[in-house]
Amino acid sequence: MTKFTFATSKEKFDHHIELSIRGYINLWSDVLSLSKYFVEDYTEVVDLGCSTGKLLKAMIKQNKEHIPQARYTGIEIEEEFFKDYEKDLNEYDQLNYFKGDVRKYDFKNCSLVTSIFTLQFMKPKDREKVINKIYSGLNKNGAFIFSEKIFISNPKIQDMMTFMFYDYKRKKFSDKEILDKEIQLRHMMKPNIKLELYDMLKKAGFEVHTFWQNFNFIGAIALKDK
């Protein structure tokens, strides 16, 4: 079995995730649109697990006329993504990359933090710590916009969602590709149920609202209003 990584998937990362998650492009567009309400001049915008940097680059283009003094930082640990970062830095003077572990990043003066399917790949014991760091680093009225794969608390509904998701993926991938990926992700991805995830955010001080869901995938916005 070939080792699976998102960075080296044969469809390339951005296209691969669009094929894998139904409605992903709508989720991505929603996150981009929501960013308009939070990005401010002379603040930091941070994307956890930024991969190719596509979201941050789109934010820069979207906001450069009205918010020209914001700074954007992508955090990524997968080295396969690093090869194009130098080109990005030459093209976008507001952009920076932190190539390393998010647990070592110092969040401060942030108006917005985003995370597109990243927390689920952290060790469960680290998620709460990272969420607390994000809350501390956000300015008042800032936001943490994130998406995650979750487990459904009702096992019957969880089973339904799982097999509906597989039926969808079989339109895009072979059965072997689907099974191989599931096997590879067993030790990498540890989803929470939604209540567990939201409890961590509320405990940190956030007010949390879901704005998107498709099968077991959700998009939510966590507000810091204090």
Side-chain angles (χ1 to χ4, degrees), residues 30 43 92 146 215:
D30 287 348
T43 67
Y92 301 90
F146 66 92
F215 296 137

Side-chain angles (χ1 to χ4, degrees), residues 40-42 63-72 93-94:
E40 296 180 349
D41 280 331
Y42 308 106
N63 300 321
K64 65 181 179 180
E65 182 177 347
H66 303 290
I67 315 165
Q69 300 301 324
R71 298 290 305 175
Y72 299 80
D93 58 8
Q94 293 170 266

